[in-house]
Amino acid sequence: MPNHAVTAAGEAMPVGNTLSRLAELLRAGDSRGALALIESSTAMPPVSRSTETTTAATNRRNFLLAKGGLLAASAASLVVDTPKAAFAASEAPRAAEDISGQVETINENPDLLKAYDTLLAAQAEESAAKEAFEWLGDEWKHAWPLAPDELLGSANAHQSGRQYIKYAERDILGRFMMRDTSGLAMKVSPEFREKYPRTCFHVYASEEAKERIAYLSQRTPKGRTEKSLARDRAWIEGEIVAWKQRLELALKYEAETTRLSEAAGVVPAAQRVCDADAAVKEASAKISMIPAFTHLGLQIKARAVQASGLFDGDPNTAGRWGEFCRFIHAVIDMGGEVRV
C-alpha cells in the first residue's frame, strides 16, 4: 500500500493521516468530502525521476487496489468511535461498496434493521396470501351457484343494517354479489330496475325459514266473521307451505355452497390472510419500540406506521389526521427507497 496520498492542494499526506481525516469526515456525515478525499488519494505523490524505478510498486493501480482496505479501515474506526454503533467492525467492508448510502446503514441500530427485515417478510407473506385468496374467487366463481329466485328477499341488501346484512347474497369469498335487475321483472318494479341496474338481494336462510314456520304455526286466525276467519286461516296455511318450500331450497343451497367452500379451501386461505395481517401489525409495533440512530431509521419507522394502515390515507385530508399523513409521507419521501 502507498505510504502517501495526495490532497486536493497537491500535497502528499501520510496514509495514517488520510485514514484519520476520512474517519472524521464520515463521523461528521460529510459523504461528499469523504468521496473527494478518496478520489484525491488515488493521485500519485510527486516523486523524482531518480526514484521512479524503485517506487514503481506504488503506482495508481496498486493504490486503487488498496482503496477498498482504506475505506474498510476508516469505516471500522468510525464504528469503534461511535457509541451508538456498538456492533462488530466486520460490517465495515459494506461501506466500501457504496460510501454514500451504506455508511448510514452501518451506523443504524442493528436491532431496527433486523426488525425491518421481519416487517418486509411479513408484508411479502401478506401480499402472497391475499393474492392466493383472490385467485380462489376467480377459480371457483363459475362453479358458485346463484341463490334460487324463490329465496330472494329485499333488494339493496348490501346496504342493510347489521342484523340483516349477513343474509346478503355473497360469492365464495364472501363478497357481495350484484345481480343484473333487467331480468327480474317479477321481482322488482320497472322504476327500481331503471334506478338500480345492479343490486344485491337478501337471501332467505334456513334459520329464517324455520323461525317463520314456527311463528306462523302458532298464529291464531283472526276475523270478525266466519268468512274472514277462513280467509286468514287459508293465508296462514299457504304461508306455511311456501316457507317449507323455501326451507327445502335453502337447505340445498347452503349444503352446496358449504361443499364448494370446503373443496376450495376458503377457510384456511382466509385464515392465512388474517395471520399475515396480524404478523405485519406485530412487526410494525415492534419497530415503533426500537430506537433509531439515523434518518434511515426514521424512514423505517415511518414505513412501519404506514404498514399499519392508520396513516396511509390522503395527505390532503383536513385536520390532525391530514397532518399525521403528511408527516409520515414526508419522512418516507425524504430519502427515497430504504436500502438495508
Side-chain angles (χ1 to χ4, degrees):
M1 180 174 178
N3 295 326
H4 293 79
V6 179
T7 66
E11 300 175 352
M13 178 186 294
V15 170
N17 293 346
T18 303
L19 292 174
S20 301
R21 178 57 180 162
L22 181 57
E24 292 176 3
L25 292 172
L26 292 173
R27 194 178 297 110
D30 186 1
S31 58
R32 291 186 178 180
L35 286 172
L37 179 59
I38 292 167
E39 291 300 324
S40 66
S41 67
T42 61
M44 281 295 298
V47 293
S48 64
R49 182 179 299 274
S50 62
T51 60
E52 281 189 24
T53 302
T54 59
T55 60
T58 58
N59 56 23
R60 177 181 177 83
R61 179 173 179 273
N62 290 338
F63 196 81
L64 286 173
L65 292 174
K67 187 167 64 173
L70 176 66
L71 283 171
S74 304
S77 66
L78 174 62
V79 169
V80 172
D81 292 341
T82 306
K84 290 182 178 179
F87 51 92
S90 61
E91 294 288 324
R94 295 170 64 183
E97 299 174 5
D98 185 357
I99 192 67
S100 64
Q102 294 300 328
V103 169
E104 181 122 8
T105 302
I106 293 176
N107 287 336
E108 189 48 72
N109 188 338
D111 291 335
L112 184 60
L113 297 179
K114 185 182 298 184
Y116 186 57
D117 285 339
T118 301
L119 174 62
L120 293 179
Q123 288 179 312
E125 166 59 16
E126 182 182 35
S127 178
K130 289 181 177 179
E131 183 177 351
F133 189 69
E134 292 294 329
W135 178 85
L136 283 181
D138 294 334
E139 184 72 9
W140 289 83
K141 66 180 179 181
H142 299 297
W144 192 256
L146 287 173
D149 289 350
E150 294 83 353
L151 295 180
L152 297 184
S154 58
N156 291 335
H158 58 296
Q159 300 174 352
S160 301
R162 183 176 300 178
Q163 181 180 359
Y164 294 104
I165 198 170
K166 64 180 180 179
Y167 298 120
E169 188 174 19
R170 299 172 185 267
D171 66 5
I172 194 170
L173 300 185
R175 300 171 299 194
F176 295 119
M177 292 184 65
M178 308 298 289
R179 291 201 186 201
D180 183 0
T181 60
S182 60
L184 298 172
M186 300 296 292
K187 189 68 181 176
V188 293
S189 66
E191 293 78 13
F192 183 92
R193 296 199 301 272
E194 183 178 353
K195 185 176 182 179
Y196 299 101
R198 298 179 65 83
T199 189
C200 179
F201 284 92
H202 179 111
V203 175
Y204 291 118
S206 59
E207 60 177 323
E208 289 184 289
K210 291 176 182 179
E211 291 175 358
R212 193 66 178 174
I213 292 171
Y215 168 76
L216 291 170
S217 299
Q218 297 176 359
R219 176 169 171 170
T220 302
K222 298 179 180 180
R224 295 183 178 180
T225 63
E226 285 296 328
K227 186 176 181 179
S228 61
L229 281 172
R231 185 169 55 248
D232 193 48
R233 187 180 298 110
W235 178 85
I236 293 174
E237 292 173 355
E239 284 293 298
I240 291 176
V241 171
W243 278 104
K244 284 183 177 180
Q245 291 175 347
R246 292 191 184 102
L247 174 59
E248 184 178 356
L249 290 173
L251 289 173
K252 290 181 179 180
Y253 175 71
E254 291 168 5
E256 178 64 9
T257 55
T258 299
R259 184 188 68 82
L260 291 174
S261 294
E262 292 177 352
V266 172
V267 173
Q271 187 61 50
R272 180 187 176 190
V273 173
C274 291
D275 293 342
D277 181 68
V280 169
K281 288 182 171 60
E282 181 180 355
S284 177
K286 184 176 180 180
I287 286 177
S288 70
M289 303 297 291
I290 302 176
F293 294 165
T294 68
H295 85 274
L296 174 66
L298 294 180
Q299 282 185 269
I300 289 175
K301 284 180 171 288
R303 289 185 180 275
V305 173
Q306 187 183 47
S308 68
L310 291 176
F311 300 105
D312 192 21
D314 184 2
N316 298 319
T317 303
R320 291 293 184 187
W321 199 259
E323 293 179 16
F324 291 144
C325 291
R326 287 190 291 275
F327 175 75
I328 295 299
H329 283 239
V331 175
I332 290 175
D333 295 339
M334 65 185 291
E337 290 296 324
V338 175
R339 293 182 295 174
V340 179

